[in-house]
Amino acid sequence: MKMEDMPLSGPDNTKLEALVHDIYSELVEDACLGLCFEVHRAVKQGYFFLDETDQESMKEFEIVDQPGVDIFGQVYNQWKNKECECPNCKRLIAASRFAPHLEKCLGMGRNSSRIASRRLASNNNTSKSESDQEDNDDLNDNDWSYGAEKKGEHLKFTTCNSPRRSKSLKHKNGESISYNTGISYETLGPDEVRSLLTTQCGVISEHTKKMCTRSQRCPQHTDEQRRAVRVFLLGPSAPLLPSADTAVDNDSFDIPDGQTLLSRLQWEDSPDISPTDSASSKTFGRLIGLLLSGTNHSDSRRPKKKKRTSLCLNSGGVSAPSISSIYDDLN
Amino acid sequence: MSKESRMRATINQKLTEMGERERLKELLRSKLTECGWKDQMKAHCKEVIKEKGLEHVTVEDLVVEITPKGRALVPDSVKKELLHRIRAFLAQHAT
């Protein structure tokens, strides 16, 4: 559209031109009047001066219009070229990379722990076993492999425990133990076993025949299993678990038999034979003890020997049919 | 003379009837806001109000102060565009 146009020519057209200007003036006046009404209403309603405050604040927040500076007066690329010294590693890092670097450097923050645990896991998998273990695939005593758990949250669990475990292992036994294995109870004396069992879970794994070196509260094994192992290794008058109920102290002579028997059953067979709840298993154990006190006395009284494992198996096997008969009777 | 006044009346009527007047008004208002004329005028209003006192300002006061200044402060580009539009309308609809 051409903005530059000539006024209408001709004698008539002067009048037209005058008309045009008149129309224009009318429009402009209309606009002015509109503004006046708007302002007057704002004044009378009290919202005209709302955007103003005292003189001091006005000066403070005045719009800045200088080159190299934004409207607040701040230099916007001031920190672009600055370098900061990391307090941890004493390196000079660019300002924009400083925060992520600090996260990794200090070992805090989500990603750094993930990366670290992943690195530890890959180190475990790739390094050969350091000790004189029989099987290489028995590197882990907790019935699951580290490789499979690489991507799961279990990784955090294992890495939390493994430094402590290797430390305690090296401290307690003179033997060289691989990084994350259990202990073979057969090679330990009773005192060592006792001291081990006061701090560690100690439940003997089925296929590796090693004691679990995790904490007393390790979720892999139940308290029943831990109690069974302690009784098994240290005799029926074994020192109790820290988490054991006081009711166990009041058990009579017969009851421990039933309990160990029950626990042995739990240990060897699938856990669905015995109830998992400790209270009900106690009563069940009492029942079993009362019924079977005659048959299995001699087995439990026998001293600790290597042959014991196989004997236990046999005794477990022998009593299993009788147990199942009791089940029938109960039903 | 009456011819002229008749013609004027006709034109004005046509402007209103066809909605061209409204369109022109809106166009002018938006153009003035865009170019900052409105803010300028508001600042001037503030001065007038501070002068006259907040409580006693009347519409007449404002009109008297604002209109002449407003007319003068309209930028040339806006003025030209509007004149062009009006001329075009007249050229189209004047007999």
Side-chain angles (χ1 to χ4, degrees):
Chain A
M1 186 168 78
K2 261 170 78 174
M3 298 293 283
E4 189 80 56
D5 47 0
M6 307 287 283
L8 301 164
S9 52
D12 276 337
N13 291 339
T14 44
K15 290 180 193 146
L16 273 175
E17 194 59 30
L19 180 59
V20 166
H21 279 271
D22 279 345
I23 293 171
Y24 167 75
S25 308
E26 234 183 276
L27 288 169
V28 168
E29 246 187 71
D30 203 65
C32 292
L33 215 64
L35 180 71
C36 288
F37 286 141
E38 210 182 293
V39 166
H40 182 259
R41 181 160 211 270
V43 165
K44 293 304 175 186
Q45 293 287 331
Y47 60 84
F48 188 62
F49 287 110
L50 270 183
D51 57 347
E52 286 178 11
T53 58
D54 57 299
Q55 267 308 102
E56 244 179 64
S57 313
M58 294 279 276
K59 282 232 171 72
E60 206 182 319
F61 298 114
E62 226 174 340
I63 291 177
V64 176
D65 193 16
Q66 294 165 23
V69 149
D70 65 10
I71 65 169
F72 298 115
Q74 297 165 355
V75 185
Y76 65 95
N77 57 356
Q78 194 179 12
W79 312 111
K80 224 194 231 177
N81 307 324
K82 293 242 166 129
E83 285 188 338
C84 326
E85 190 200 328
C86 172
N88 212 29
C89 62
K90 309 291 180 213
R91 282 198 295 171
L92 282 174
I93 311 286
S96 56
R97 296 299 310 161
F98 190 55
H101 162 79
L102 208 60
E103 216 185 2
K104 301 255 169 19
C105 198
L106 291 171
M108 302 200 289
R110 284 191 290 160
N111 280 328
S112 52
S113 62
R114 239 180 257 151
I115 291 169
S117 38
R118 210 184 303 144
R119 223 182 291 143
L120 272 170
S122 59
N123 279 346
N124 288 348
N125 277 339
T126 52
S127 66
K128 302 278 181 189
S129 82
E130 302 149 21
S131 75
D132 46 357
Q133 298 300 331
E134 305 93 329
D135 320 321
N136 269 340
D137 49 357
D138 284 345
L139 278 174
N140 14 327
D141 68 342
N142 289 329
D143 305 341
W144 44 269
S145 71
Y146 279 109
E149 296 299 329
K150 217 179 204 177
K151 285 175 187 158
E153 321 93 297
H154 293 298
L155 196 59
K156 283 217 171 119
F157 220 117
T158 55
T159 53
C160 293
N161 283 330
S162 48
R164 215 194 63 187
R165 232 190 303 158
S166 60
K167 266 191 233 155
S168 64
L169 279 175
K170 282 173 192 154
H171 172 67
K172 287 199 166 54
N173 315 334
E175 312 163 329
S176 60
I177 303 278
S178 137
Y179 191 78
N180 46 13
T181 58
I183 311 163
S184 187
Y185 63 89
E186 298 151 7
T187 55
L188 301 172
D191 285 335
E192 286 173 17
V193 167
R194 199 171 293 131
S195 55
L196 260 171
L197 284 177
T198 48
T199 53
Q200 291 171 25
C201 172
V203 174
I204 296 169
S205 161
E206 264 195 52
H207 33 254
T208 68
K209 304 284 179 275
K210 292 203 189 78
M211 293 163 62
C212 171
T213 52
R214 304 183 85 177
S215 76
Q216 289 276 0
R217 301 216 147 272
C218 114
Q220 292 288 317
H221 306 109
T222 64
D223 284 341
E224 277 300 319
Q225 290 173 301
R226 284 190 268 275
R227 206 180 305 151
V229 161
R230 274 153 186 78
V231 169
F232 169 54
L233 290 175
L234 304 168
S237 54
L240 299 161
L241 292 166
S243 57
D245 317 285
T246 50
V248 177
D249 290 331
N250 303 330
D251 282 347
S252 66
F253 181 70
D254 286 333
I255 310 280
D257 293 347
Q259 292 228 296
T260 41
L261 187 63
L262 188 64
S263 316
R264 266 182 236 155
L265 284 173
Q266 269 179 320
W267 171 48
E268 290 148 13
D269 307 332
S270 59
D272 49 33
I273 289 179
S274 48
T276 50
D277 177 43
S278 60
S280 57
S281 67
K282 231 182 289 165
T283 23
F284 191 62
R286 276 183 204 152
L287 191 67
I288 299 296
L290 286 167
L291 289 164
L292 299 171
S293 55
T295 53
N296 289 320
H297 252 237
S298 50
D299 285 348
S300 55
R301 289 286 86 87
R302 222 168 275 196
K304 228 188 328 169
K305 271 186 197 158
K306 192 171 182 178
K307 272 205 272 174
R308 209 173 144 80
T309 16
S310 50
L311 280 169
C312 284
L313 281 167
N314 284 344
S315 69
V318 161
S319 46
S322 40
I323 297 283
S324 49
S325 64
I326 291 161
Y327 272 103
D328 295 336
D329 289 344
L330 285 171
N331 290 342
Chain B
M1 276 293 134
S2 59
K3 224 195 245 176
E4 196 193 324
S5 52
R6 233 184 299 136
M7 188 196 54
R8 275 180 172 238
T10 325
I11 298 278
N12 280 326
Q13 196 186 355
K14 266 198 183 151
L15 261 177
T16 314
E17 273 174 5
M18 295 179 68
E20 189 64 21
R21 183 166 258 134
E22 279 305 315
R23 276 193 287 270
L24 287 170
K25 262 195 209 167
E26 271 314 306
L27 178 69
L28 180 63
R29 225 163 253 166
S30 56
K31 290 265 170 199
L32 288 175
T33 313
E34 262 174 34
C35 71
W37 174 92
K38 196 172 178 185
D39 299 319
Q40 255 180 313
M41 297 313 293
K42 262 196 173 166
H44 186 59
C45 287
K46 276 186 190 164
E47 287 168 29
V48 171
I49 291 162
K50 281 178 184 148
E51 221 181 295
K52 296 277 164 83
L54 193 67
E55 297 295 320
H56 308 292
V57 160
T58 61
V59 181
E60 280 308 316
D61 289 338
L62 286 172
V63 167
V64 161
E65 296 285 334
I66 297 302
T67 313
K69 193 158 186 205
R71 243 186 265 131
L73 280 177
V74 174
D76 276 341
S77 56
V78 177
K79 184 173 183 178
K80 276 203 171 103
E81 187 173 345
L82 241 97
L83 288 174
H84 176 83
R85 290 270 305 241
I86 299 167
R87 258 186 230 119
F89 181 81
L90 278 181
Q92 225 182 342
H93 296 100
T95 48

